[in-house]
Amino acid sequence: MTAPANPSEAMPYRNANLAVDVRVEDLLARMTIEEKLGQLNQNAVDRSLTSEQALETWSGPVKAGKIGSFIVGPSGPALHNRLQRIALEESRLGIPVSFGYDVIHGYRVIFPITLGLACAWEPALLERAQSLAAREARRSGVDWIFAPMCDLARDARWGRVAETCGEDPYLNSLCTAAQVKGFQGSNPAAADRTAACLKHFVAYGAVTGGRDYNHTEVPESILRQSHLPPFHAGVKAGALTVMSAFNTIDGIPAAASHHALTEILRDEWGFKGFVVSDWGAIDEMVKWGYAKHGGEAARLGIEAGNDMDMISGHYLNTLPAQIQDGLVDQKTIDTATRNVLRVKFQTGLFDRPYTDESVNAFAEPIAQADLDLARECVVRSTVLLKNSEDVLPLSKNLTKVALIGPFGADRREMLGSWMGYGRTEDVVTLAEGIAAKLADPAQLRVVLGCNVNSTSRTITLTDGTIVPDENAEQADELQELDKATQAAQEADIVIMALGEPCGWTGECASRSSLGLTGRQQELFDAVTLTGKPIIAVVFSGRPLSLPVVLEKSAAVLFAWQPGIQAGNGVADLLFGDAFPSGRLTASVAREVSQVPVYYNRYKTGRPSPLSTDYRDLTRNPQFWFGYGLTYTTFAYSPVEIVPATKEHPATARASITNTGKHEGHEVAQLYIRQLACSHAVRPEQELRGFQRIGLRPGETAEITFPLTGEVLGYWGREGKWHIDAGDYHIWIAPQAQSGDPELLCFH
Ligand code: BGC
């Protein structure tokens, strides 16, 4: 018998001209049960290992076909290629491994955290940022990105608020779809794209008490109305993978939720990709007290529809015996393997498995266009919350400026909790950004003031370990306080760079308070005593509650964790080279005791403030979702409802005028309320549209929103979209809870 001239004739799965499903079935038919389970097993390349050590550890299991995917460390394409070569040339069937990584807000070019990016209210900007991140990641050998995060952020104590797009399902859905497009483009196999991963399915944002990894108490009606829509939007946008969450859903760990992973994701939504568990979540079923042991956890996970086991190893180690004993059906394993292989074909791993090592994402200086995008993102995501007497923008001819606070000259803090392969040396600090604007940079005095927290500075590693940050500058706090007040006294204007350390945000970093950390409040109070005007720039991974800072500063900007162009972007705003246009995507609580606080809350049967407020505090936040100032002002006309005709749906219309002296962008927001809904009570207000418009002083624009069933309807608890005839309130407003509604009678 002569060997076929072309190996793909003998192995059709290697033939790039065949349809993906044909290739998947051909390969599946050749696989042993162990090889199938290998595809469902994900390990991590330990960051502390050298490449040689990593190879020594992993080449055996890869050769044996026991690893379908790696979470990568800072290893780069050379190590990936070497591991891939073993997979392709030394394993029996030559199935490539996939390399996944958390590229949450940038790979090397670090953008503002997602919470900040969402404040641009411009999904296309998120798409651009994530497509740059995908390009850099893929060039470094990463073919799968564990983002976008689709969880809702309604409790600012939860550290992972930083990774979300805020509290609203509609905005979150648009941002999710845009990010999926950014990562995957139209062809996830392209050399500059990756697979996306919608996480964490589902309701992780509802962890009780804002404590990470906690259980959730989310009834089906709210799951449907609020938590599921962003994931649904991501599935519709073509996301290839989904990550199940750490939390429980109605008492069941998410990785074992047949309801979420099979009934909703696959049966209702038709999802064709694969589901990976979160880190060790299969094993955590045992710790929850749900499964008796790892074997049972593996069975519950795979049967629920969780295809891949991240880290715990229970699929690989326990399922062969369970299949043999008839406890787990082979067909279940085949389905999961099919799902994983399909994505590997779709991301081009079989046809272009290696990464070009000559393109090193770190060797080159960052391209100017990429820096410009990162700077634009800082400008767009920063939210101006206060600007008394138009103290901003500042003049570049100021003679004496004091920049006080632990975030003014810090590089690491600008990168945020996830930082990809971001480097501190790429960061432009606020001090550098301001100095570059001043006619005489020597007039800038920079004082640390205090440390970011009261103990020593720490950073949280991806595995959750907290270690001292050796690069952090430590202040001698007593001396610094004196220096700060003296600098303030001598200055014409004081810019204070305050906030919370990035190690207190992100995963495993919930907080019980929402104020400034360490001695920053003391520092702020001391500086206010000098009577000098203060511009507060706040760096944080969550909407902090800062009533005193808000009251006593002349201007306040929330700049989040802005990434490598932090200093340039914020300075552009401070000195009027750009105008602020960011809008909050998470309401700002007055005090931590108010959380969870969000605009799309429920009315209660006794909605009057007397009944629903606290005795000692309003229930309303300090700033509503959607709020944000710019350097000009806008006036809205009353909303007008134009009735439906045979050809067109009803529309809501309003005109907006720039009544100030500067050019600006307004984000006009459409809110609705269904006045009576007997299926399940609907929120007090729901965002269902928005438009960003640029207006010069004196200019007016008319905006319209069609009031279609898509705008007015809602998800019922049985998973159906309902559109009810009846009465609705309609607002077109600059933020939630403002403006007068108009009545729409929808029939
Ligand atoms: C996080 C995920 C992340 C995964 C892999 C987990 O601890 O919850 O968001 O993608 O680790 O790094």
Side-chain angles (χ1 to χ4, degrees), residues 55 59 62-63 82-91:
L55 272 174
S59 48
V62 170
K63 194 168 164 178
R82 287 172 78 185
L83 288 166
Q84 196 67 294
R85 191 151 279 119
I86 296 169
L88 287 159
E89 295 177 6
E90 298 181 37
S91 75

Side-chain angles (χ1 to χ4, degrees), residues 69 98-103 130 133-135 137-138 141-148 179-185 187-198 234 237-242 271 273-274 276 339-340 342-349 352:
S69 166
S98 149
F99 296 95
Y101 190 49
D102 292 281
V103 181
Q130 299 300 31
R135 188 181 81 212
R138 189 84 190 218
V142 171
D143 54 82
W144 178 20
I145 284 177
F146 302 135
Q179 292 185 80
V180 170
K181 263 171 92 185
F183 292 129
Q184 296 190 175
N187 174 18
D192 53 358
R193 301 291 181 177
T194 67
C197 184
L198 309 175
L240 292 177
T241 74
V242 168
F271 175 65
F274 72 84
V276 63
N339 294 337
V340 170
R342 196 181 299 116
V343 171
K344 288 193 173 182
F345 282 111
Q346 287 169 321
T347 45
L349 285 180
R352 203 179 45 78

Side-chain angles (χ1 to χ4, degrees), residues 42 44 71-72 100-104 145-147 149 151 160 163 197 199-200 204 212-213 243-246 276-280 284 310-311 418 462-464 507-508:
Q42 185 180 52
I71 302 176
V72 290
Y101 190 49
D102 292 281
V103 181
I104 309 302
I145 284 177
F146 302 135
M149 204 219 231
D151 303 311
R160 304 200 77 169
E163 300 168 54
C197 184
K199 69 186 191 184
H200 305 81
Y204 189 27
D212 213 357
Y213 314 119
M243 187 183 293
S244 58
F246 284 128
V276 63
S277 74
D278 205 341
W279 183 290
E284 288 180 14
M310 185 189 281
I311 299 299
W418 291 107
T462 41
D463 65 0
E507 188 176 348
C508 195

Side-chain angles (χ1 to χ4, degrees), residues 329-399:
D329 190 342
Q330 269 235 44
K331 284 198 195 119
T332 312
I333 309 299
D334 284 353
T335 304
T337 311
R338 228 179 239 121
N339 294 337
V340 170
L341 292 177
R342 196 181 299 116
V343 171
K344 288 193 173 182
F345 282 111
Q346 287 169 321
T347 45
L349 285 180
F350 281 86
D351 308 321
R352 203 179 45 78
Y354 300 112
T355 307
D356 181 355
E357 289 175 35
S358 67
V359 189
N360 180 342
F362 297 101
E364 312 152 11
I366 299 171
Q368 190 56 47
D370 298 348
L371 291 175
D372 291 347
L373 177 58
R375 185 170 184 157
E376 185 185 343
C377 287
V378 180
V379 165
R380 298 275 180 163
S381 62
T382 300
V383 184
L384 177 66
L385 293 175
K386 181 177 179 186
N387 191 18
S388 294
E389 293 167 30
D390 292 339
V391 61
L392 290 179
L394 300 171
S395 156
K396 292 177 183 168
N397 295 319
L398 282 169
T399 44

Side-chain angles (χ1 to χ4, degrees), residues 229-349:
F231 288 93
H232 197 181
V235 169
K236 284 199 255 181
L240 292 177
T241 74
V242 168
M243 187 183 293
S244 58
F246 284 128
N247 52 278
T248 55
I249 308 163
D250 195 11
I252 299 183
S257 171
H258 189 265
H259 179 52
L261 299 180
T262 297
E263 288 169 20
I264 296 176
L265 187 61
R266 302 236 177 235
D267 300 347
E268 286 181 23
W269 298 352
F271 175 65
K272 294 272 184 300
F274 72 84
V275 177
V276 63
S277 74
D278 205 341
W279 183 290
I282 298 296
D283 186 58
E284 288 180 14
M285 283 185 216
V286 181
K287 298 184 180 135
W288 273 109
Y290 183 69
K292 288 189 212 64
H293 43 67
E296 188 174 42
R299 180 173 62 73
L300 292 167
I302 194 94
E303 286 182 345
N306 192 98
D307 303 302
M308 187 182 278
D309 170 1
M310 185 189 281
I311 299 299
S312 74
H314 293 323
Y315 280 18
L316 187 72
N317 299 326
T318 73
L319 289 176
Q322 300 197 68
I323 295 164
Q324 192 134 38
D325 295 346
L327 288 171
V328 174
D329 190 342
Q330 269 235 44
K331 284 198 195 119
T332 312
I333 309 299
D334 284 353
T335 304
T337 311
R338 228 179 239 121
N339 294 337
V340 170
L341 292 177
R342 196 181 299 116
V343 171
K344 288 193 173 182
F345 282 111
Q346 287 169 321
T347 45
L349 285 180

Side-chain angles (χ1 to χ4, degrees), residues 11 15 19 52 88 123 178 187 198 206 228 239 254 323 408-409 477 605 609 616 624-625 630 643 646 729 733:
M11 302 280 200
N15 184 346
E52 291 314 314
L88 287 159
N187 174 18
L198 309 175
L228 286 168
I323 295 164
E477 294 191 324
D616 50 359
W624 289 104
F625 171 84
T630 184
K646 271 203 183 119
H729 273 165

Side-chain angles (χ1 to χ4, degrees), residues 422-703:
R423 303 192 308 184
T424 46
E425 45 289 30
D426 289 336
V427 173
V428 179
T429 64
L430 184 55
E432 289 163 345
I434 293 173
K437 295 289 181 195
L438 289 175
D440 178 6
Q443 296 300 334
L444 175 66
R445 173 125 186 247
V446 183
V447 182
L448 193 62
C450 65
N451 297 316
V452 290
N453 66 33
S454 44
T455 55
S456 63
R457 290 271 301 278
T458 57
I459 46 173
T460 309
L461 302 180
T462 41
D463 65 0
T465 329
I466 298 175
V467 294
D469 181 356
E470 278 154 18
N471 296 320
E473 198 183 334
Q474 300 290 318
D476 173 338
E477 294 191 324
L478 286 177
Q479 259 188 31
E480 283 293 319
L481 204 65
D482 282 349
K483 271 202 243 165
T485 44
Q486 201 190 330
Q489 250 143 13
E490 288 164 10
D492 298 330
I493 193 113
V494 179
I495 300 171
M496 293 199 74
L498 305 165
E500 62 176 348
C502 60
W504 286 37
T505 73
E507 188 176 348
C508 195
S510 297
R511 291 187 58 185
S512 66
S513 57
L514 296 175
L516 299 173
T517 54
R519 298 176 73 175
Q520 293 183 81
Q521 188 64 53
E522 209 180 309
L523 172 71
F524 178 83
D525 294 343
V527 172
T528 57
L529 295 179
T530 64
K532 293 295 164 78
I534 296 174
I535 317 289
V537 184
V538 178
F539 297 92
S540 67
R542 49 167 67 75
L544 293 178
S545 300
L546 306 172
V548 178
V549 173
L550 281 159
E551 189 199 322
K552 298 208 167 147
S553 303
V556 179
L557 288 152
F558 271 14
W560 316 111
Q561 292 155 351
I564 57 170
Q565 282 291 305
N568 284 336
V570 174
D572 283 346
L573 294 171
L574 291 175
F575 291 91
D577 287 336
F579 49 79
S581 62
R583 300 305 175 92
L584 293 172
T585 58
S587 303
V588 177
R590 290 168 193 274
E591 286 185 15
V592 69
S593 54
Q594 281 186 320
V595 299
V597 63
Y598 45 91
Y599 87 95
N600 36 7
R601 63 194 181 188
Y602 295 85
K603 250 179 114 181
T604 86
R606 296 188 180 189
S608 81
L610 195 62
S611 310
T612 39
D613 280 359
Y614 301 96
R615 279 283 158 203
D616 50 359
L617 188 67
T618 164
R619 71 193 188 289
N620 293 333
Q622 182 102 45
F623 294 108
W624 289 104
F625 171 84
Y627 182 80
L629 300 171
T630 184
Y631 293 152
T632 189
T633 46
F634 297 99
Y636 281 62
S637 72
V639 183
E640 192 191 337
I641 305 290
V642 183
T645 62
K646 271 203 183 119
E647 293 78 35
H648 299 290
T651 50
R653 154 166 108 186
S655 48
I656 300 172
T657 305
N658 181 340
T659 49
K661 296 197 187 75
H662 297 269
E663 185 193 351
H665 279 189
E666 175 65 340
V667 180
Q669 300 157 36
L670 173 76
Y671 292 95
I672 66 153
R673 178 195 299 158
Q674 184 175 358
L675 298 191
C677 173
S678 55
H679 183 92
V681 169
R682 288 184 68 179
E684 207 170 271
Q685 271 194 310
E686 293 172 89
L687 179 77
R688 285 302 168 89
F690 60 89
Q691 283 175 38
R692 174 185 279 274
I693 39 168
L695 292 174
R696 286 188 293 273
E699 214 178 344
T700 297
E702 184 173 272
I703 49 165

